[in-house]
Amino acid sequence: MTLYFRKAGVVCAVFLIAASVIVGADKPKSVILVISDGTGVSQITSLRYAEEDFQFSRFSVVGLFTTHANDKLITDSAAGGTAFATGQKTNNGMVAMLPDGTRIQTVLELVEKQGKATGLVATSQITHATPATFSAHVEDRDNEMEIARQQAVAGIEVMLGGGQQFFAENDSGDLTKQMQEDGYRYISTKQTLESVNTQSTEKLIGLFAKKGMPTASKRDISLAQMTQTATEILDNDEDGFFLMVEASQVDWAGHDNDGPEVVAEMQDMNSALKWMLDYRESHPDVLVLWVSDHETGGMAIGYGVSGHEREGVNVDYGPTAQKGRMEFGWTSDGHTGQMIPAFAIGPGAEHFSGVYDNTDIGKRLFKLLRSD
């Protein structure tokens, strides 16, 4: 909430953040932040009809937040990710920097300085806008060579996703060799991922595609598999960890107005959620928080208009498993300004209920993870 008052002819603003003091049992030891890029209520609804094992029902807290950037009503993933990572608004295209170019500390950097382990997982290239906002500072999200250079020396224990082009073929040389000299194990295939001993591995970088990984219907490495590997490595740190997991390509399917692929990406994300929530049941000091930076495509679930066959998927729904067809309509091939839900469970989950702004997610994560 914001209160305005006038003093000496100047309008001033006081920001009141709910739960400004978070102590004791409310604080999680570790946080898994799930960002399902481009996912709004319609995408979640499509998962509910297509997937019997709907993991969102397991969350204990639901909130709702606005997503606008500093300079535009419709955010991009750089400004949206920066809000989550830093608690600050910035312009579209800027990564963990204020509009004037000032670098802002990210929650991942805070946790790393505190001695906890950190990780990034994405189905896009790991240098893409959302993972970049937690691990680099650039004025232009497209400067992925520089993002990779910063990530390579950021001290992040685990990075899994795509992006060989920006690490192994970086303008500054092969960053993967530099990282191996610094103690990382480098992997690039499903077989080598499956061979990782998570109990003995301390630092891991896995790049499984030149840029983004294949779509959910084609890739052989699931988001759940990468999440499990990352979490098990980070869990070796007795101080706890922070892991950001991005289901990147719900957004890409939305840009393509491809409803069946949206569902496939949501199902891949849902399987990862199942693993996380099962893990949390045996690790009650872990907060699992699900958010999205924005909705993509203005997706609607409807029924084809007369004379027009829409793409769709066949589903079972209702208590008697009625057979039906879920069809999709679209208002855009870009991002939209819809409010987005947040889902949380674990210590501190209650701080993500209510209606607020996307920057409040970053602010509350800082409060929950700050050691002082």
Side-chain angles (χ1 to χ4, degrees):
M1 180 173 66
T2 307
L3 300 181
Y4 294 92
F5 64 94
R6 187 175 296 275
K7 182 177 180 181
V10 178
V11 176
C12 303
V14 177
F15 299 93
L16 303 180
I17 304 298
S20 59
V21 179
I22 304 173
V23 296
D26 285 344
K27 280 182 171 286
K29 177 181 177 181
S30 301
V31 172
I32 302 176
L33 173 63
V34 187
I35 302 177
S36 187
D37 201 308
T39 304
V41 172
S42 289
Q43 286 81 354
I44 295 171
T45 304
S46 73
L47 176 67
R48 179 66 183 87
Y49 287 129
E51 182 61 59
E52 182 178 350
D53 192 18
F54 181 69
Q55 293 298 308
F56 285 92
S57 301
R58 299 174 64 182
F59 286 99
S60 58
V61 171
V62 181
L64 191 67
F65 59 91
T66 52
T67 64
H68 64 90
N70 177 70
D71 60 335
K72 300 288 184 181
L73 175 64
I74 308 302
T75 192
D76 78 336
S77 294
T82 296
F84 298 148
T86 72
Q88 301 292 326
K89 291 285 188 190
T90 195
N91 295 341
N92 282 342
M94 300 188 74
V95 171
M97 301 182 82
L98 294 175
D100 65 3
T102 303
R103 292 189 173 201
I104 331 167
Q105 185 184 43
T106 74
V107 65
L108 183 147
E109 291 168 338
L110 169 73
V111 168
E112 191 70 37
K113 286 182 179 178
Q114 292 178 163
K116 294 187 177 187
T118 59
L120 298 172
V121 171
T123 54
S124 66
Q125 58 266 37
I126 208 71
T127 52
H128 212 247
T130 301
T133 58
F134 290 85
S135 53
H137 305 267
V138 295
E139 292 189 5
D140 183 356
R141 58 179 284 179
D142 292 334
N143 191 358
E144 293 185 70
M145 292 291 184
E146 174 60 23
I147 290 169
R149 285 190 285 269
Q150 293 185 31
Q151 289 176 329
V153 296
I156 302 164
E157 279 72 14
V158 181
M159 290 185 282
L160 300 175
Q164 295 165 359
Q165 174 178 332
F166 305 105
F167 282 86
E169 304 170 25
N170 194 277
D171 293 343
S172 299
D174 187 345
L175 299 180
T176 65
K177 291 184 178 179
Q178 171 191 319
M179 296 178 74
Q180 289 175 81
E181 292 172 358
D182 292 338
Y184 282 86
R185 179 180 176 185
Y186 172 54
I187 59 174
S188 59
T189 66
K190 177 181 175 68
Q191 291 70 31
T192 52
L193 177 63
E194 291 173 343
S195 73
V196 172
N197 184 327
T198 57
Q199 296 304 305
S200 60
T201 301
E202 296 183 357
K203 296 195 289 186
L204 179 69
I205 178 167
L207 304 174
F208 307 110
K210 193 172 181 67
K211 292 184 73 175
M213 295 175 69
T215 60
S217 58
K218 296 178 181 178
R219 61 178 172 260
D220 61 352
I221 298 175
S222 69
L223 186 62
Q225 186 176 12
M226 292 192 291
T227 299
Q228 179 175 353
T229 300
T231 303
E232 289 179 351
I233 293 172
L234 300 178
D235 191 39
N236 294 325
D237 192 316
E238 295 180 354
D239 296 320
F241 64 85
F242 174 84
L243 173 63
M244 193 287 297
V245 176
E246 186 192 27
S248 316
Q249 297 192 40
V250 182
D251 172 67
W252 297 3
H255 282 297
D256 290 340
N257 289 177
D258 187 340
E261 193 60 46
V262 165
V263 173
E265 295 291 346
M266 291 295 293
Q267 288 175 316
D268 183 53
M269 184 272 298
N270 190 65
S271 295
L273 266 185
K274 176 174 170 48
W275 190 91
M276 294 176 220
L277 295 174
D278 287 349
Y279 168 83
R280 198 211 69 82
E281 288 185 355
S282 59
H283 297 77
D285 53 4
V286 174
L287 169 67
V288 177
L289 173 63
W290 183 100
V291 296
S292 176
D293 46 3
H294 52 74
E295 193 275 345
T296 302
M299 178 178 170
I301 298 171
Y303 197 73
V305 296
S306 177
H308 177 68
E309 180 70 15
R310 292 179 180 168
E311 64 180 4
V313 295
N314 295 323
V315 296
D316 299 336
Y317 63 93
T320 58
Q322 295 291 316
K323 302 290 184 181
R325 181 173 173 81
M326 180 167 56
E327 297 181 344
F328 309 99
W330 307 88
T331 63
S332 171
D333 60 4
H335 301 169
T336 68
Q338 298 177 18
M339 295 182 75
I340 298 294
F343 296 83
I345 188 169
E350 65 275 15
H351 301 290
F352 298 95
S353 65
V355 180
Y356 42 88
D357 185 64
N358 60 0
T359 54
D360 291 325
I361 292 168
K363 290 182 175 74
R364 293 170 192 186
L365 285 172
F366 266 97
K367 290 179 185 296
L368 284 167
L369 289 167
R370 205 179 292 278
S371 59
D372 50 358

